[in-house]
Amino acid sequence: MAVCARLCGVGPARGCRRRQQRRGLAETAAADSEPDTDPEEERIEAGAVAPVGVGGGPGAGPSPPPPRCSLLELPPELLVEIFASLPGTDLPSLAQVCSKFRRILHTDTIWRRRCREEYGVCENLRKLEVTGVSCRDVYAKLLHRYRHILGLWQPDIGPYGGLLNVVVDGLFIIGWMYLPPHDPHVDDPMRFKPLFRIHLMERKSATVECMYGHKGPHNGHIQIVKRDEFSTKCNQTDHHRMSGGRQEFRTWLREEWGRTLEDIFHEHMQELILMKFIYTSQYDNCLTYRRIYLPPSHPSDLIRPGLFKGTYGSHGLEIVMLSFHGHRARGTKITGDPNIPAGQQTVEIDLRRRIQLPDVENLQNFNELSRIVLEVREQVRQEQQQEAGEGPALPPEQPARGPGGAPAGDSREPGAGAAVDEQSAESRKGQPFVLPMGVSSRNEDYPRTCRMCFYGTGLIAGHGFTSPERTPGVFILFDEDRFGFIWLELKSFSLYSRVQATFRNADAPSPQAFDEMLKNIQSLTS
């Protein structure tokens, strides 16, 4: 900006001449010997010094330097093109340079391009001229003003959590609540419904509307608490209610579970569903959201990290974030339940301890799988005691072996990348997989071939997150987009499928910021 000011003849150059008038004769003479930065004066001096030999013959003198061009002398259409390529946040400062710049910055072409390049607005913004709203108004009063709420958020709905994606959709900013598919169809696409929207109805300010309920948009309010937290408030909650509590519950049940209460025969599941309805209905007036980031990706990761849908028994499908941390992988709940609330670490996988499953015939025997996993857990316990100085040094450990002498656990130190690089040709092709007898699964349509398996632990607890403990289990990698986990103590199997969606403004600014985010959402429910 200082360069622009000097080219326009304002700012430091003008201030220097005023200071020169106050200097002594010697200082003034020294200052006058330096080249002046005023473009007009340079052109006058260049024209006053004529070359001796204009024709370029033997007597020709040195050619004068080319005159410096001022930005003010550029044609307006060229200035529009230059200014349109600058970030929109810099343009207000540019308008303070001179009145000409200020007039040019009222050109809608500049702001139309900033809306498109910075926020992906692909609508025909020329239609705004009919409503009297300019592209500059859209940028300043809508997009730039609410830029801090774009991205992924987790609503504070007690143990249930949620996933909110705030996006620019045409000339609106819309908050979409992402919902898992109906249980147990884990491979189905995500469902979503709008919670609020912001748009520019007139030139004064943007309008916030609540979209909850079945009576259409109504008056709402958004307050940005801080950079990573905001809240919404509905000013007309009567739009959320139906003419009868029973009908309202049936409608919610059909949207949430895709069925009626009569279709759910399990009494415990009915209680959980009714409990969730009563609990979440208390939050239809005001909600607080906290920012979440997608996990950073590294070439050494076992698979691409991200969001997955997983089966959790009577609680239905929940959203889990898979992330990698050195030689460990972690699954963090984005949505939760009264037993394990949102924000908690549902599974943790030790990528140093690969498990070789027995053949299909022996894998059907739950006791055989349990023996292999418990041997690995004992190795982990002994190593932890040794590291803590509790006992004598242990002999070199022997990995647990399945039938035929195949190693069940590998305690070598390479990280996740080494686990991928050192897999055998057989693992790359896949090995047959079947659930052991007695292990329950909500979805029987699980893959029958897996790439590899690792030792892990899963978090279980009583109702209200009472007496939480980590129990051993098996992490099964099926392919790039699906994995599973066998909960040994519960004799239960969870299948996870990747959320196939593209999220903007969701990348963590740094790995440290992502780790801090995980700690924050976990502390809210601990």
mmCIF file of all heavy atoms in Angstrom, residues 222-248:
data_model
loop_
_atom_site.group_PDB
_atom_site.id
_atom_site.type_symbol
_atom_site.label_atom_id
_atom_site.label_comp_id
_atom_site.label_asym_id
_atom_site.label_seq_id
_atom_site.Cartn_x
_atom_site.Cartn_y
_atom_site.Cartn_z
ATOM 1 N N ILE A 222 -28.029 -15.191 15.047
ATOM 2 C CA ILE A 222 -26.728 -15.836 15.179
ATOM 3 C C ILE A 222 -25.786 -14.898 15.913
ATOM 4 O O ILE A 222 -25.701 -13.709 15.592
ATOM 5 C CB ILE A 222 -26.142 -16.197 13.795
ATOM 6 C CG1 ILE A 222 -26.872 -17.394 13.205
ATOM 7 C CG2 ILE A 222 -24.659 -16.525 13.907
ATOM 8 C CD1 ILE A 222 -26.350 -17.837 11.861
ATOM 9 N N GLN A 223 -25.102 -15.441 16.904
ATOM 10 C CA GLN A 223 -24.103 -14.691 17.650
ATOM 11 C C GLN A 223 -22.768 -15.418 17.568
ATOM 12 O O GLN A 223 -22.671 -16.589 17.947
ATOM 13 C CB GLN A 223 -24.507 -14.520 19.111
ATOM 14 C CG GLN A 223 -23.481 -13.728 19.925
ATOM 15 C CD GLN A 223 -23.871 -13.592 21.380
ATOM 16 O OE1 GLN A 223 -24.892 -14.143 21.804
ATOM 17 N NE2 GLN A 223 -23.088 -12.869 22.147
ATOM 18 N N ILE A 224 -21.757 -14.735 17.038
ATOM 19 C CA ILE A 224 -20.421 -15.313 16.968
ATOM 20 C C ILE A 224 -19.728 -15.029 18.297
ATOM 21 O O ILE A 224 -19.314 -13.907 18.573
ATOM 22 C CB ILE A 224 -19.631 -14.723 15.782
ATOM 23 C CG1 ILE A 224 -20.372 -15.010 14.463
ATOM 24 C CG2 ILE A 224 -18.231 -15.317 15.728
ATOM 25 C CD1 ILE A 224 -19.712 -14.410 13.245
ATOM 26 N N VAL A 225 -19.641 -16.069 19.130
ATOM 27 C CA VAL A 225 -19.073 -15.909 20.471
ATOM 28 C C VAL A 225 -17.579 -15.631 20.373
ATOM 29 O O VAL A 225 -17.059 -14.694 20.966
ATOM 30 C CB VAL A 225 -19.351 -17.165 21.323
ATOM 31 C CG1 VAL A 225 -18.775 -17.004 22.723
ATOM 32 C CG2 VAL A 225 -20.841 -17.454 21.372
ATOM 33 N N LYS A 226 -16.877 -16.456 19.624
ATOM 34 C CA LYS A 226 -15.456 -16.268 19.357
ATOM 35 C C LYS A 226 -15.138 -16.982 18.063
ATOM 36 O O LYS A 226 -16.042 -17.509 17.398
ATOM 37 C CB LYS A 226 -14.592 -16.789 20.507
ATOM 38 C CG LYS A 226 -14.905 -18.200 20.967
ATOM 39 C CD LYS A 226 -14.110 -18.551 22.208
ATOM 40 C CE LYS A 226 -14.454 -19.952 22.708
ATOM 41 N NZ LYS A 226 -13.705 -20.299 23.936
ATOM 42 N N ARG A 227 -13.887 -16.980 17.671
ATOM 43 C CA ARG A 227 -13.527 -17.474 16.345
ATOM 44 C C ARG A 227 -13.956 -18.926 16.130
ATOM 45 O O ARG A 227 -14.376 -19.297 15.035
ATOM 46 C CB ARG A 227 -12.013 -17.340 16.142
ATOM 47 C CG ARG A 227 -11.570 -17.670 14.723
ATOM 48 C CD ARG A 227 -10.087 -17.451 14.549
ATOM 49 N NE ARG A 227 -9.672 -17.710 13.183
ATOM 50 C CZ ARG A 227 -9.688 -16.820 12.209
ATOM 51 N NH1 ARG A 227 -10.110 -15.592 12.458
ATOM 52 N NH2 ARG A 227 -9.278 -17.114 10.984
ATOM 53 N N ASP A 228 -13.895 -19.756 17.144
ATOM 54 C CA ASP A 228 -14.204 -21.171 17.002
ATOM 55 C C ASP A 228 -15.473 -21.571 17.742
ATOM 56 O O ASP A 228 -15.640 -22.723 18.139
ATOM 57 C CB ASP A 228 -13.023 -22.025 17.490
ATOM 58 C CG ASP A 228 -11.805 -21.869 16.601
ATOM 59 O OD1 ASP A 228 -11.984 -21.619 15.400
ATOM 60 O OD2 ASP A 228 -10.672 -21.982 17.113
ATOM 61 N N GLU A 229 -16.371 -20.624 17.924
ATOM 62 C CA GLU A 229 -17.624 -20.929 18.627
ATOM 63 C C GLU A 229 -18.684 -19.908 18.238
ATOM 64 O O GLU A 229 -18.416 -18.710 18.183
ATOM 65 C CB GLU A 229 -17.396 -20.923 20.132
ATOM 66 C CG GLU A 229 -18.614 -21.280 20.955
ATOM 67 C CD GLU A 229 -18.325 -21.301 22.444
ATOM 68 O OE1 GLU A 229 -17.178 -21.662 22.821
ATOM 69 O OE2 GLU A 229 -19.224 -20.977 23.234
ATOM 70 N N PHE A 230 -19.885 -20.384 17.952
ATOM 71 C CA PHE A 230 -21.000 -19.474 17.715
ATOM 72 C C PHE A 230 -22.283 -20.136 18.199
ATOM 73 O O PHE A 230 -22.314 -21.340 18.484
ATOM 74 C CB PHE A 230 -21.090 -19.074 16.228
ATOM 75 C CG PHE A 230 -21.684 -20.125 15.339
ATOM 76 C CD1 PHE A 230 -23.032 -20.096 14.995
ATOM 77 C CD2 PHE A 230 -20.891 -21.139 14.809
ATOM 78 C CE1 PHE A 230 -23.579 -21.054 14.157
ATOM 79 C CE2 PHE A 230 -21.434 -22.105 13.974
ATOM 80 C CZ PHE A 230 -22.785 -22.062 13.653
ATOM 81 N N SER A 231 -23.340 -19.352 18.301
ATOM 82 C CA SER A 231 -24.611 -19.876 18.794
ATOM 83 C C SER A 231 -25.745 -19.383 17.907
ATOM 84 O O SER A 231 -25.655 -18.319 17.287
ATOM 85 C CB SER A 231 -24.856 -19.444 20.249
ATOM 86 O OG SER A 231 -24.923 -18.031 20.342
ATOM 87 N N THR A 232 -26.803 -20.171 17.838
ATOM 88 C CA THR A 232 -28.008 -19.797 17.105
ATOM 89 C C THR A 232 -29.182 -19.752 18.073
ATOM 90 O O THR A 232 -29.237 -20.512 19.041
ATOM 91 C CB THR A 232 -28.307 -20.814 15.986
ATOM 92 O OG1 THR A 232 -28.461 -22.125 16.557
ATOM 93 C CG2 THR A 232 -27.181 -20.844 14.965
ATOM 94 N N LYS A 233 -30.120 -18.871 17.782
ATOM 95 C CA LYS A 233 -31.311 -18.737 18.622
ATOM 96 C C LYS A 233 -32.519 -18.551 17.724
ATOM 97 O O LYS A 233 -32.488 -17.767 16.777
ATOM 98 C CB LYS A 233 -31.171 -17.552 19.576
ATOM 99 C CG LYS A 233 -32.357 -17.385 20.520
ATOM 100 C CD LYS A 233 -32.167 -16.218 21.465
ATOM 101 C CE LYS A 233 -33.357 -16.076 22.407
ATOM 102 N NZ LYS A 233 -33.180 -14.931 23.334
ATOM 103 N N CYS A 234 -33.566 -19.273 18.025
ATOM 104 C CA CYS A 234 -34.823 -19.137 17.299
ATOM 105 C C CYS A 234 -35.747 -18.203 18.074
ATOM 106 O O CYS A 234 -35.942 -18.376 19.286
ATOM 107 C CB CYS A 234 -35.495 -20.504 17.100
ATOM 108 S SG CYS A 234 -37.097 -20.403 16.282
ATOM 109 N N ASN A 235 -36.315 -17.222 17.381
ATOM 110 C CA ASN A 235 -37.207 -16.260 18.025
ATOM 111 C C ASN A 235 -38.680 -16.629 17.881
ATOM 112 O O ASN A 235 -39.544 -15.913 18.378
ATOM 113 C CB ASN A 235 -36.974 -14.862 17.442
ATOM 114 C CG ASN A 235 -35.551 -14.379 17.679
ATOM 115 O OD1 ASN A 235 -34.937 -14.696 18.691
ATOM 116 N ND2 ASN A 235 -35.020 -13.609 16.742
ATOM 117 N N GLN A 236 -38.961 -17.734 17.173
ATOM 118 C CA GLN A 236 -40.348 -18.162 16.977
ATOM 119 C C GLN A 236 -40.423 -19.683 17.113
ATOM 120 O O GLN A 236 -40.646 -20.403 16.148
ATOM 121 C CB GLN A 236 -40.853 -17.720 15.597
ATOM 122 C CG GLN A 236 -40.943 -16.208 15.429
ATOM 123 C CD GLN A 236 -41.343 -15.835 14.009
ATOM 124 O OE1 GLN A 236 -40.517 -15.815 13.103
ATOM 125 N NE2 GLN A 236 -42.623 -15.536 13.818
ATOM 126 N N THR A 237 -40.254 -20.171 18.323
ATOM 127 C CA THR A 237 -40.223 -21.621 18.543
ATOM 128 C C THR A 237 -41.579 -22.284 18.309
ATOM 129 O O THR A 237 -41.651 -23.511 18.207
ATOM 130 C CB THR A 237 -39.760 -21.933 19.969
ATOM 131 O OG1 THR A 237 -40.579 -21.219 20.907
ATOM 132 C CG2 THR A 237 -38.310 -21.504 20.166
ATOM 133 N N ASP A 238 -42.644 -21.500 18.201
ATOM 134 C CA ASP A 238 -43.946 -22.101 17.917
ATOM 135 C C ASP A 238 -43.970 -22.736 16.528
ATOM 136 O O ASP A 238 -44.813 -23.606 16.262
ATOM 137 C CB ASP A 238 -45.048 -21.033 18.020
ATOM 138 C CG ASP A 238 -44.795 -19.861 17.099
ATOM 139 O OD1 ASP A 238 -43.732 -19.220 17.250
ATOM 140 O OD2 ASP A 238 -45.633 -19.579 16.226
ATOM 141 N N HIS A 239 -43.018 -22.321 15.657
ATOM 142 C CA HIS A 239 -42.929 -22.937 14.336
ATOM 143 C C HIS A 239 -42.373 -24.360 14.413
ATOM 144 O O HIS A 239 -42.463 -25.107 13.437
ATOM 145 C CB HIS A 239 -42.024 -22.100 13.419
ATOM 146 C CG HIS A 239 -42.699 -20.882 12.871
ATOM 147 N ND1 HIS A 239 -43.153 -19.859 13.669
ATOM 148 C CD2 HIS A 239 -42.999 -20.538 11.593
ATOM 149 C CE1 HIS A 239 -43.701 -18.920 12.916
ATOM 150 N NE2 HIS A 239 -43.631 -19.305 11.650
ATOM 151 N N HIS A 240 -41.805 -24.728 15.551
ATOM 152 C CA HIS A 240 -41.213 -26.063 15.687
ATOM 153 C C HIS A 240 -42.247 -27.103 16.111
ATOM 154 O O HIS A 240 -41.994 -28.301 15.970
ATOM 155 C CB HIS A 240 -40.084 -26.045 16.725
ATOM 156 C CG HIS A 240 -39.000 -25.070 16.419
ATOM 157 N ND1 HIS A 240 -37.939 -24.852 17.275
ATOM 158 C CD2 HIS A 240 -38.796 -24.252 15.356
ATOM 159 C CE1 HIS A 240 -37.136 -23.938 16.752
ATOM 160 N NE2 HIS A 240 -37.644 -23.559 15.594
ATOM 161 N N ARG A 241 -43.343 -26.653 16.659
ATOM 162 C CA ARG A 241 -44.307 -27.568 17.269
ATOM 163 C C ARG A 241 -45.407 -27.962 16.290
ATOM 164 O O ARG A 241 -45.778 -27.204 15.404
ATOM 165 C CB ARG A 241 -44.938 -26.911 18.509
ATOM 166 C CG ARG A 241 -43.906 -26.550 19.565
ATOM 167 C CD ARG A 241 -43.396 -27.794 20.252
ATOM 168 N NE ARG A 241 -42.345 -27.464 21.208
ATOM 169 C CZ ARG A 241 -41.062 -27.685 20.987
ATOM 170 N NH1 ARG A 241 -40.677 -28.229 19.850
ATOM 171 N NH2 ARG A 241 -40.147 -27.376 21.891
ATOM 172 N N MET A 242 -45.919 -29.165 16.494
ATOM 173 C CA MET A 242 -47.067 -29.645 15.746
ATOM 174 C C MET A 242 -48.289 -29.653 16.663
ATOM 175 O O MET A 242 -48.180 -29.517 17.877
ATOM 176 C CB MET A 242 -46.798 -31.042 15.187
ATOM 177 C CG MET A 242 -45.796 -31.072 14.052
ATOM 178 S SD MET A 242 -45.667 -32.717 13.354
ATOM 179 C CE MET A 242 -44.689 -32.338 11.908
ATOM 180 N N SER A 243 -49.421 -29.852 16.051
ATOM 181 C CA SER A 243 -50.665 -29.838 16.828
ATOM 182 C C SER A 243 -50.863 -31.179 17.520
ATOM 183 O O SER A 243 -51.797 -31.910 17.237
ATOM 184 C CB SER A 243 -51.852 -29.545 15.905
ATOM 185 O OG SER A 243 -51.903 -30.510 14.864
ATOM 186 N N GLY A 244 -49.973 -31.479 18.445
ATOM 187 C CA GLY A 244 -50.078 -32.741 19.174
ATOM 188 C C GLY A 244 -48.717 -33.373 19.343
ATOM 189 O O GLY A 244 -47.995 -33.571 18.366
ATOM 190 N N GLY A 245 -48.359 -33.682 20.592
ATOM 191 C CA GLY A 245 -47.044 -34.237 20.866
ATOM 192 C C GLY A 245 -46.815 -35.588 20.221
ATOM 193 O O GLY A 245 -45.715 -35.901 19.782
ATOM 194 N N ARG A 246 -47.873 -36.397 20.148
ATOM 195 C CA ARG A 246 -47.721 -37.727 19.570
ATOM 196 C C ARG A 246 -47.360 -37.635 18.080
ATOM 197 O O ARG A 246 -46.492 -38.363 17.597
ATOM 198 C CB ARG A 246 -49.005 -38.537 19.767
ATOM 199 C CG ARG A 246 -48.925 -39.947 19.209
ATOM 200 C CD ARG A 246 -50.223 -40.692 19.496
ATOM 201 N NE ARG A 246 -50.397 -40.883 20.926
ATOM 202 C CZ ARG A 246 -49.908 -41.916 21.603
ATOM 203 N NH1 ARG A 246 -49.191 -42.836 20.981
ATOM 204 N NH2 ARG A 246 -50.125 -42.032 22.900
ATOM 205 N N GLN A 247 -48.029 -36.721 17.355
ATOM 206 C CA GLN A 247 -47.741 -36.569 15.938
ATOM 207 C C GLN A 247 -46.335 -36.033 15.715
ATOM 208 O O GLN A 247 -45.637 -36.445 14.788
ATOM 209 C CB GLN A 247 -48.770 -35.628 15.296
ATOM 210 C CG GLN A 247 -48.543 -35.385 13.812
ATOM 211 C CD GLN A 247 -48.632 -36.662 13.007
ATOM 212 O OE1 GLN A 247 -49.366 -37.586 13.353
ATOM 213 N NE2 GLN A 247 -47.862 -36.729 11.919
ATOM 214 N N GLU A 248 -45.928 -35.139 16.599
ATOM 215 C CA GLU A 248 -44.572 -34.592 16.495
ATOM 216 C C GLU A 248 -43.533 -35.690 16.711
ATOM 217 O O GLU A 248 -42.520 -35.753 15.991
ATOM 218 C CB GLU A 248 -44.382 -33.478 17.531
ATOM 219 C CG GLU A 248 -43.036 -32.790 17.442
ATOM 220 C CD GLU A 248 -42.918 -31.661 18.453
ATOM 221 O OE1 GLU A 248 -43.935 -31.311 19.085
ATOM 222 O OE2 GLU A 248 -41.792 -31.133 18.610
#
